[in-house]
């Protein structure tokens, strides 16, 4: 299925996938400046991809103003699903968990040449990945807010996250992990000049909060700077967390 030509999926309500629910082996492309806006669901306010479904959002398309009562205000990809965001924008969405995007047991969530901004959630304002593979390349995650933890990006469980040539900036967590929070057994690689900057947390980890048995590496000139928090303005690491910076 292809949704193109400036089409819109707007103002719908469902329990799963307020605007679009792609399941089974569905393959859906939203392109050509199309928009998914003003939809509401419990999971996947705008878009839900589950099972072996694949959803691609590209061509300057927009996912905005959607709401999920639980997970994935803009987009949710779960249980083997795959979502690609390319040359598009996910903004002004709200959820309990993962205001912009939520990945739970997902095969892959890829964000390339795109922006995730001004989303709101109780936990993880921008992008949340739990037991999923998340790749962010040449993109910006900024201006997102978490009422509790993880303003920009949260990696949880056994998530494998790679962030390359991107910026995670100006996000806010009203408790901890302003820019990024990495927890449990997640593995995160921040590469090739990626910037974590000007993020804020009230309590701990303005730029980055790492805890439990996580492993975080920053390479290729990536920087964490200009962040603020009550403790650990740049990085807060606890328990057996490993944060390694290499030139």
């Amino acid at each position: 299925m292809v949704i193109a030509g400036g089409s819109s999926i707007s103002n719908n309500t469902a329990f799963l996938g307020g605007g679009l629910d792609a399941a089974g082996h569905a393959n859906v492309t939203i392109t050509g400046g199309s928009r998914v806006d003003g939809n509401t669901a419990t999971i996947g306010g705008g878009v839900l991809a589950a099972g072996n479904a694949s959803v691609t959002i590209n061509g300057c398309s927009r996912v905005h103003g959607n709401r999920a009562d639980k997970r994935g205000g803009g987009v949710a990809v779960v249980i083997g699903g795959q979502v690609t965001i390319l040359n598009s924008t996910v903004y002004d969405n709200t959820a309990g968990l993962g205001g912009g995007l939520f990945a739970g047991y997902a095969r892959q969530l890829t964000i390339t040449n795109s922006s995730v901004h001004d989303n709101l959630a109780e936990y993880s304002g921008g992008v949340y990945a739990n037991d999923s593979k998340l790749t962010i390349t040449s993109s910006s995650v900024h201006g997102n807010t978490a009422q509790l933890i993880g303003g920009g990006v949260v990696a949880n469980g056994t998530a494998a996250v790679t962030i390359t040539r991107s910026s995670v900036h100006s996000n806010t967590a009203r408790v901890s992990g302003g820019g990024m929070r990495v927890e449990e057994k997640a593995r995160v690689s921040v590469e090739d000049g990626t910037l974590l900057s000007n993020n804020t947390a009230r309590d701990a980890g303005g730029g980055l909060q790492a805890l439990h048995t996580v492993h975080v590496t920053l390479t290729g000139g990536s920087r964490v700077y200009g962040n603020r928090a009550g403790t650990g303005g740049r990085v807060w690491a606890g328990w057996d967390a490993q944060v390694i910076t290499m030139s």
Side-chain angles (χ1 to χ4, degrees), residues 90-113:
V90 179
Y91 68 101
D92 196 27
N93 303 284
T94 61
L97 179 62
L101 301 107
F102 170 89
Y105 303 98
R107 182 171 15 130
Q108 176 75 54
L109 171 58
T110 302
I111 302 167
T112 304
N113 293 328

Side-chain angles (χ1 to χ4, degrees), residues 185-197:
K185 298 179 180 180
R187 297 289 182 265
V188 174
S189 179
V190 180
E191 305 173 351
D192 201 6
T194 292
L195 304 178
L196 275 67
S197 63

Side-chain angles (χ1 to χ4, degrees), residues 19-20 45 60 75 99 107 119 151 166 171 179 204 218-219:
L20 169 68
C60 299
V75 177
R107 182 171 15 130
N119 300 286
S166 295
N171 301 286
L218 294 96
T219 61

Side-chain angles (χ1 to χ4, degrees), residues 49-52 71 77-82 102-109 128-133 156-159 184:
N52 292 310
R71 301 176 181 88
V77 50
V78 300
I79 316 174
Q82 177 172 304
F102 170 89
Y105 303 98
R107 182 171 15 130
Q108 176 75 54
L109 171 58
Y128 179 93
N130 178 66
D131 294 311
S132 301
K133 186 175 181 181
N156 186 283
T158 59
E184 295 189 8

Side-chain angles (χ1 to χ4, degrees), residues 182 187-191 208 210 214-224 234-235 237 240-247:
V182 186
R187 297 289 182 265
V188 174
S189 179
V190 180
E191 305 173 351
L208 168 67
V214 304
H215 189 276
V216 181
T217 60
L218 294 96
T219 61
S222 296
R223 299 175 60 199
V224 184
R234 180 175 183 264
V235 176
D240 295 319
Q242 298 182 57
V243 179
I244 302 170
T245 302
M246 295 180 284
S247 60

